[in-house]
Amino acid sequence: EMGVNISNLSETINIQFTNVNTVRDVKNFQNNLLLDTIRVQIFLLLITCQCSHLTFFAILMVRNKNITSEAVKILMNLFVALFFLNLCFLVNESIAKLKVSAACVAMAAALHYSMLATFTWFFMQALHLYFNYKENVFYLCLVIPALFVIGLLASNNYGNMEIYDDNGTSVSMCWITDSTLHMGVNIGYYGIVFIFTLTIFLVAVVQITKFASKADNRDKVSTKKRLFSLLGLFCLLGIGWGFAFFSYGPLLLPSFYIFTILNSFQGKPGTESERLQFQTK
């Protein structure tokens, strides 16, 4: 990780473990440590490791020692899906103004696919975050949105539509022309994702709260940092999209503002989510 090999230290680094089951844990140390450079001393319930090099000692305390790059891949794919979603949305009106049917259908399909892909990656991020799911889900994340898009293309439900505001002003947009179909496919699809991600988020909050209450003063994280971490997780899982459910009646304008502000934080790096993943374990 650091690009250098730190070994043959002139003074050993001593790491002590207290109140342990010596028989069980000595076997674990013997199976996991490089004993040619680490000396293990046992005295009563105290284990002292004298290390002449640096390595990833924290992995010894993790149940699953197979650390993969799955989480990074999920975050990168989520980033790509969000990028194309925003890009398609920004150029959508320009394509619609061209009044070229084929171009508008292609733009609507691309926008719809990137949105469904974003929802799917929210789901997979939550699945991996709490359950440490390691199966290769990338194929499904590409295929599931494609099935919806292909179905709508085959039924000729993409095209140019006009959106009007209260003042009678209208804008053209390439999108799903059937509003009922839009509600069923998009709102219904995200509704399933929302229920799952919100459940994982609430479980994570409970687990982190229990973790914080059991930690001693040295390990306690400030309330401010914990709140920001949870906010990062909230945005990362796309729960902020749920405010679209309230975009009706008097809540229409406030929900739009909250939706826009919260979802602008979805570019936050995944370091906080990975730390929260460790805590929820």
Side-chain angles (χ1 to χ4, degrees), residues 177-241:
T177 55
D178 189 332
S179 59
T180 303
L181 189 61
H182 159 70
M183 292 290 294
V185 173
N186 298 327
I187 305 301
Y189 189 86
Y190 177 72
I192 298 173
V193 174
F194 176 78
I195 292 173
F196 180 74
T197 54
L198 181 62
T199 301
I200 295 300
F201 176 78
L202 294 177
V203 171
V205 171
V206 173
Q207 295 286 352
I208 293 170
T209 303
K210 291 181 179 179
F211 174 83
S213 63
K214 293 180 181 179
D216 56 30
N217 293 329
R218 295 173 299 175
D219 296 330
K220 284 185 177 179
V221 182
S222 67
T223 303
K224 182 179 179 180
K225 289 184 178 180
R226 191 174 298 114
L227 288 176
F228 274 108
S229 298
L230 291 175
L231 178 61
L233 181 62
F234 183 91
C235 296
L236 185 68
L237 297 179
I239 301 176
W241 283 72

Side-chain angles (χ1 to χ4, degrees), residues 77 81 107 136 142 176 178 192 213 227 245 261 276:
N77 281 277
M107 173 52 62
N136 191 354
L142 297 175
I176 303 173
D178 189 332
I192 298 173
S213 63
L227 288 176
F245 293 135
I261 292 172
L276 290 172

Side-chain angles (χ1 to χ4, degrees), residues 13-273:
I13 298 174
N14 299 329
I15 303 177
Q16 293 183 339
F17 299 89
T18 59
N19 298 324
V20 294
N21 183 329
T22 56
V23 176
R24 180 193 63 193
D25 288 307
V26 167
K27 292 182 179 179
N28 290 336
F29 280 111
Q30 291 175 340
N31 291 333
N32 292 284
L33 294 178
L34 300 175
L35 296 181
D36 57 334
T37 55
I38 299 178
R39 294 194 302 272
V40 180
Q41 295 182 349
I42 305 173
F43 180 73
L44 295 180
L45 295 181
L46 174 67
I47 292 181
T48 301
C49 295
Q50 297 177 322
C51 313
S52 60
H53 74 287
L54 300 184
T55 187
F56 302 105
F57 294 105
I59 198 174
L60 299 176
M61 310 306 294
V62 181
R63 294 179 182 178
N64 186 355
K65 300 179 177 61
N66 297 321
I67 297 179
T68 68
S69 58
E70 189 87 9
V72 177
K73 292 180 180 179
I74 293 176
L75 289 172
M76 290 304 298
N77 281 277
L78 175 58
F79 164 77
V80 172
L82 282 168
F83 173 79
F84 280 105
L85 174 61
N86 286 279
L87 179 63
C88 291
F89 184 79
L90 289 174
V91 302
N92 192 297
E93 185 180 0
S94 299
I95 300 298
K97 288 180 178 179
L98 296 177
K99 302 300 180 180
V100 179
S101 179
C104 193
V105 169
M107 173 52 62
L111 178 63
H112 192 207
Y113 179 85
S114 59
M115 187 179 75
L116 293 180
T118 299
F119 294 163
T120 307
W121 286 114
F122 287 153
F123 184 93
M124 292 304 170
Q125 174 64 41
L127 188 66
H128 176 76
L129 179 68
Y130 193 78
F131 296 104
N132 201 22
Y133 193 71
K134 291 184 174 61
E135 296 297 327
N136 191 354
V137 297
F138 304 109
Y139 177 77
L140 292 177
C141 291
L142 297 175
V143 171
I144 293 176
L147 293 177
F148 285 96
V149 173
I150 292 173
L152 267 66
L153 283 171
S155 58
N156 196 27
N157 279 294
Y158 290 129
N160 194 306
M161 60 180 296
E162 296 291 327
I163 301 176
Y164 297 89
D165 62 13
D166 295 337
N167 298 324
T169 305
S170 66
V171 293
S172 297
M173 182 177 181
C174 301
W175 191 231
I176 303 173
T177 55
D178 189 332
S179 59
T180 303
L181 189 61
H182 159 70
M183 292 290 294
V185 173
N186 298 327
I187 305 301
Y189 189 86
Y190 177 72
I192 298 173
V193 174
F194 176 78
I195 292 173
F196 180 74
T197 54
L198 181 62
T199 301
I200 295 300
F201 176 78
L202 294 177
V203 171
V205 171
V206 173
Q207 295 286 352
I208 293 170
T209 303
K210 291 181 179 179
F211 174 83
S213 63
K214 293 180 181 179
D216 56 30
N217 293 329
R218 295 173 299 175
D219 296 330
K220 284 185 177 179
V221 182
S222 67
T223 303
K224 182 179 179 180
K225 289 184 178 180
R226 191 174 298 114
L227 288 176
F228 274 108
S229 298
L230 291 175
L231 178 61
L233 181 62
F234 183 91
C235 296
L236 185 68
L237 297 179
I239 301 176
W241 283 72
F243 284 95
F245 293 135
F246 304 99
S247 56
Y248 301 96
L251 296 177
L252 179 64
L253 191 60
S255 67
F256 282 169
Y257 276 98
I258 297 174
F259 175 88
T260 304
I261 292 172
L262 286 179
N263 291 333
S264 66
F265 290 105
Q266 285 181 333
K268 179 180 175 61
T271 52
E272 293 294 343
S273 69

